[in-house]
Amino acid sequence: MIDQVDEFNSYRAKMNDKILSENNKVLKRIFNLDTNAFSEGALDKKTKELLGLVASTVLRCDDCVKYHLEASHKEGITREEVMETLSIGTLIGGTIVIPHLRRAFEYWEALENAE
């Protein structure tokens, strides 16, 4: 499962580099805004990552869920905190979220096994 984490990060980095090399001002600003939005502020990074995880779960964006799971893992967020956050996202999103919940759970396990 460690390959799953490496594969996601490699692909994400490669494609981000390609996108940003286009030198498009709007895209660069969007990427920068996203980075800055999840920096320390009135809310700490941990809270922001969990909020991002809930929103990404509800929106059913697997790449976004993986990103926020990995950032949460790096912030030291516990398995229990992640599972509670995913449960809230599933409650809000409804049963259509369950396939994304499965992939999120699988990715969290891959992150834990990569330690």
Side-chain angles (χ1 to χ4, degrees):
M1 280 217 222
I2 294 171
D3 290 338
Q4 183 183 14
V5 175
D6 291 338
E7 186 178 305
F8 173 72
N9 286 320
S10 294
Y11 176 76
R12 185 175 176 274
K14 179 180 93 174
M15 294 312 297
N16 283 353
D17 288 345
K18 285 184 176 195
I19 290 166
L20 293 172
S21 73
E22 292 296 319
N23 205 23
N24 180 288
K25 188 189 303 187
V26 174
L27 290 174
K28 284 186 176 193
R29 286 182 177 175
I30 290 170
F31 274 62
N32 185 267
L33 180 61
D34 181 67
T35 299
N36 288 328
F38 288 92
S39 298
E40 288 288 328
L43 297 174
D44 61 11
K45 280 185 62 89
K46 176 180 172 178
T47 301
K48 289 181 176 187
E49 291 304 336
L50 294 175
L51 288 169
L53 181 56
V54 167
S56 298
T57 302
V58 172
L59 292 170
R60 303 184 311 267
C61 176
D62 288 335
D63 279 9
C64 301
V65 167
K66 286 178 181 177
Y67 173 84
H68 290 294
L69 284 172
E70 193 157 341
S72 294
H73 190 263
K74 288 178 183 173
E75 284 298 311
I77 293 171
T78 67
R79 180 184 189 91
E80 292 78 20
E81 291 169 317
V82 166
M83 293 307 135
E84 189 167 327
T85 302
L86 289 171
S87 71
I88 293 167
T90 304
L91 173 68
I92 294 167
T95 57
I96 197 166
V97 169
I98 291 173
H100 304 277
L101 173 64
R102 290 183 190 116
R103 288 187 286 275
F105 192 87
E106 177 184 37
Y107 197 73
W108 182 258
E109 285 185 333
L111 290 167
E112 289 179 322
N113 291 332
E115 293 177 340

